[in-house]
Amino acid sequence: MTRQQVQKVAVGSITAVAIVAVLPIVVIIGFILVQGIGAINLTFLTSAPSNGMRDGGILPAILGTLILTLGTAIVCIPIAVAAAIYLAEYAGDTRLTRWVRLAIVNLAGIPSIVYGLFGLGVFVLFLGFGTSILAGSLTLGIMTLPVVISTAEEAILAVPQRFRVVSLSLGATRWQTIWHQVLPHALPGIITGIILGLGRAAGETAPILFTVAAFYLPDLPSSIFDQTMALPYHLYAISTQVPDMPLSIQYGTALVLLMIVLSLTLVAALFRTRMRRRRTW
Amino acid sequence: MRPKISIQNLYFTYSDETEALKNITIDIPENEVLVLFGPSRSGKSTLLRLLNRLSDLTENAKFQGAILFNDQDIFAPGVDVANLRRRVSMVFALPSPLPGSIQDNLTYGLKMAGIRDRALLEERVEDSLRQAALWDEVKDRLHHSAFALSGGQQQRLCIARSLALEPEVILLDNPTSGLDPISTSIVEDSLVELKQRYTIIMVPHSVQQMARVADRGAFLLDGELIEVDTPAALFTQPRDQRTEDYITGRFG
């Protein structure tokens, strides 16, 4: 083969593989969409399940997932951002910080069901929060920490070093430099990381299984010590625990969950492109 | 007269054991333009960065000796480093505006020092821009991005940004390195004006630039201070053979 032919074959096969990589997401979304779209209507989105969950809607699960996502954000964001600032700006390379980094990497590798058991042991039982939104949010929040810490740290490190040096040389303190020069420019990256992390948390079943999720609870929660329904667990429950469950409701539920998670991811992606375009340097 | 800055037996060693400065001793009187010149890696920038403790950013470096600024040891415990950096202000080799408008750049240091008085801020903006010979070019677009300026304008903005702090000493680390000859001569001209009011310590772009702007030139080689004298003396009767060799272009 000539060099030109090799070039063509190489580009062709790489393109083919790239298309294959995109295929699953297209097929999954398409399949869920086709199967589930029929179940989506106003009643489905705005009423509680009825008739042993075989009828009615999934409002308590939708709201539960939104509340848990919010709770996750409240738990996760302050800790993760503070940790990222510490690691990127203050920590340097000492034995302690190497251990901290190792711990974060390992935290990311722990299976989500283990987080669920941890939440059950520590928050539900030991701290006595019971099966509650509080316990579920704490569990999800901790699970989300590593991904948000890593993306936030990368965003902070990506701010050009010269801005820091110039700021310090103009008599700004280290904290002023972080606050006025580093964080504003790292913010898009940090927020992107937060949204992606929350998107994952919103779709998790195992961590909420023992810590917050209710099998059937038509009333909306009234405090953070209440249980709540949530979409991922509801989907698991109606798919495995309810005999004669209409398929359309299962796929409808899956579709709603998928849309919530995908829209979070989409918001993150759009936000990132917009902020990049506004960057002046 | 007491020196503005007194450097006494200064040693500085980087974490990789490179001895960047060896036993440097020199007094710099007020309103002098002292130019630190020598081949690359001779320790000029390292010395400059020590004078307002930007060297603190270099991790695991070893340091010996003393630097007195107005008779105060700048490395003494309890020294307000932020304040020192306002008094002894650095202009970097490459134009380094901060993201934001021209005005934002000029008021940044002042705001960080807690100055909020609008009238005072505006006065300092105009004052510093005039001193850096930039006022006429930018007075109508103070709120435009600093990155929209040309390289030469950006560098004068950075000089103005230092001046806005009303420092006592200005450190210039090869401030014309990225500039064309016309911008270079504008910057050099503004230095002549500035030395009426400030003490200036500068790393030059070339030996010729040293000769044009220096009251005294200090020749550094491999971290040692070889000799300090007026440009005329350095050119016509250098005391050290190495100075003569460098100035006449035999190495470097």
Side-chain angles (χ1 to χ4, degrees):
Chain A
M1 279 198 294
T2 66
R3 291 192 307 161
Q4 282 74 13
Q5 283 168 323
V6 173
Q7 159 85 0
K8 271 187 187 144
V9 171
V11 172
S13 40
I14 291 170
T15 312
V17 172
I19 292 169
V20 170
V22 178
L23 217 53
I25 183 78
V26 175
V27 170
I28 289 172
I29 294 174
F31 183 73
I32 301 285
L33 196 65
V34 169
Q35 299 278 333
I37 196 79
I40 307 281
N41 56 46
L42 203 61
T43 321
F44 187 69
L45 294 177
T46 57
S47 63
S50 57
N51 187 23
M53 305 212 269
R54 293 177 194 87
D55 274 327
I58 55 168
L59 179 69
I62 296 176
L63 284 179
T65 285
L66 294 180
I67 291 167
L68 282 175
T69 308
L70 183 68
T72 308
I74 292 170
V75 172
C76 168
I77 292 172
I79 302 175
V81 173
I85 292 173
Y86 172 76
L87 286 174
E89 294 290 332
Y90 289 100
D93 189 24
T94 63
R95 185 177 298 228
L96 174 71
T97 60
R98 277 199 294 273
W99 278 104
V100 171
R101 278 171 213 280
L102 190 67
I104 291 168
V105 170
N106 278 301
L107 213 53
I110 293 175
S112 55
I113 186 70
V114 177
Y115 281 104
L117 281 169
F118 168 81
L120 173 69
V122 174
F123 301 127
V124 176
L125 300 175
F126 181 71
L127 292 175
F129 297 152
T131 313
S132 63
I133 291 173
L134 180 61
S137 300
L138 286 167
T139 309
L140 284 171
I142 290 174
M143 188 199 74
T144 314
L145 279 179
V147 56
V148 180
I149 292 175
S150 331
T151 44
E153 189 189 353
E154 269 165 45
I156 291 170
L157 289 176
V159 175
Q161 184 62 23
R162 64 175 187 280
F163 296 163
R164 295 183 182 83
V165 179
V166 167
S167 172
L168 291 170
S169 82
L170 291 169
T173 62
R174 215 156 163 193
W175 177 248
Q176 286 177 322
T177 298
I178 292 170
W179 187 253
H180 293 280
Q181 292 304 325
V182 177
L183 287 184
H185 304 123
L187 204 57
I190 295 175
I191 292 177
T192 308
I194 290 171
I195 298 175
L196 289 175
L198 292 181
R200 257 205 63 201
E204 278 289 347
T205 314
I208 58 172
L209 194 57
F210 317 118
T211 55
V212 52
F215 181 74
Y216 176 66
L217 193 72
D219 298 327
L220 300 179
S222 58
S223 90
I224 57 168
F225 294 103
D226 286 351
Q227 281 185 269
T228 178
M229 297 180 78
L231 283 170
Y233 179 70
H234 181 65
L235 182 57
Y236 164 75
I238 60 176
S239 310
T240 58
Q241 315 287 309
V242 182
D244 305 323
M245 189 70 207
L247 264 182
S248 67
I249 292 189
Q250 295 178 25
Y251 281 112
T253 307
L255 182 59
V256 171
L257 177 59
L258 197 60
M259 286 304 131
I260 289 178
V261 174
L262 280 183
S263 52
L264 279 175
T265 316
L266 197 68
V267 166
L270 286 178
F271 184 75
R272 183 164 42 187
T273 9
R274 254 193 74 172
M275 295 308 281
R276 282 222 180 116
R277 223 174 285 142
R278 273 176 45 188
R279 203 148 77 175
T280 46
W281 74 87
Chain B
M1 203 175 75
R2 65 175 190 165
K4 194 75 194 164
I5 288 182
S6 177
I7 302 169
Q8 300 170 353
N9 305 100
L10 184 69
Y11 290 81
F12 190 81
T13 308
Y14 284 106
S15 57
D16 63 356
E17 302 298 318
T18 322
E19 288 188 289
L21 296 171
K22 299 168 209 163
N23 200 12
I24 306 281
T25 297
I26 183 173
D27 282 351
I28 304 155
E30 202 166 350
N31 294 64
E32 173 170 86
V33 179
L34 178 75
V35 175
L36 307 169
F37 71 106
S40 56
R41 303 187 57 79
S42 57
K44 300 163 294 184
S45 295
T46 305
L47 180 54
L48 217 52
R49 290 167 67 91
L50 273 158
L51 296 180
N52 73 350
R53 288 187 57 175
L54 277 179
S55 54
D56 290 6
L57 306 183
T58 314
E59 277 176 33
N60 301 321
K62 282 189 290 259
F63 160 82
Q64 249 186 65
I67 299 175
L68 307 184
F69 169 57
N70 292 336
D71 294 332
Q72 303 289 316
D73 182 356
I74 63 168
F75 283 94
V79 166
D80 180 351
V81 181
N83 186 54
L84 171 72
R85 288 175 185 155
R86 286 190 280 270
R87 314 271 27 98
V88 182
S89 191
M90 170 79 90
V91 176
F92 297 93
L94 294 172
S96 48
L98 293 170
S101 70
I102 294 171
Q103 170 129 1
D104 292 341
N105 269 276
L106 292 166
T107 55
Y108 181 75
L110 295 167
K111 284 184 175 166
M112 293 305 109
I115 296 173
R116 289 275 176 270
D117 179 354
R118 241 158 213 267
L120 177 64
L121 290 175
E122 276 173 27
E123 182 192 313
R124 293 278 186 95
V125 165
E126 177 168 351
D127 238 31
S128 57
L129 283 173
R130 283 190 190 282
Q131 288 182 64
L134 190 60
W135 173 252
D136 291 330
E137 291 162 63
V138 303
K139 64 183 176 200
D140 298 322
R141 43 178 177 147
L142 293 176
H143 297 286
H144 291 208
S145 168
F147 289 96
L149 298 173
S150 75
Q153 289 173 326
Q154 285 187 16
Q155 192 58 302
R156 276 179 284 148
L157 174 66
C158 292
I159 293 174
R161 187 172 63 187
S162 284
L163 298 180
L165 295 166
E166 299 195 330
E168 296 166 47
V169 179
I170 308 171
L171 310 173
L172 297 146
D173 187 356
N174 196 352
T176 61
S177 68
L179 304 187
D180 60 84
I182 293 171
S183 305
T184 299
S185 89
I186 296 174
V187 170
E188 283 180 12
D189 288 347
S190 53
L191 292 184
V192 176
E193 294 290 316
L194 295 176
K195 81 173 196 187
Q196 316 297 329
R197 294 174 61 171
Y198 306 95
T199 306
I200 297 175
I201 303 167
M202 170 176 167
V203 171
H205 184 56
S206 61
V207 176
Q208 290 73 24
Q209 188 173 47
M210 182 275 286
R212 285 195 297 271
V213 301
D215 291 327
R216 286 192 302 162
F219 179 54
L220 279 109
L221 184 62
D222 292 332
E224 285 177 70
L225 182 60
I226 307 297
E227 70 176 282
V228 186
D229 218 325
T230 61
L234 288 169
F235 273 87
T236 54
Q237 44 198 344
R239 279 165 288 167
D240 194 292
Q241 185 60 39
R242 288 169 294 182
T243 313
E244 181 175 349
D245 289 349
Y246 181 73
I247 286 181
T248 53
R250 240 166 262 166
F251 72 98

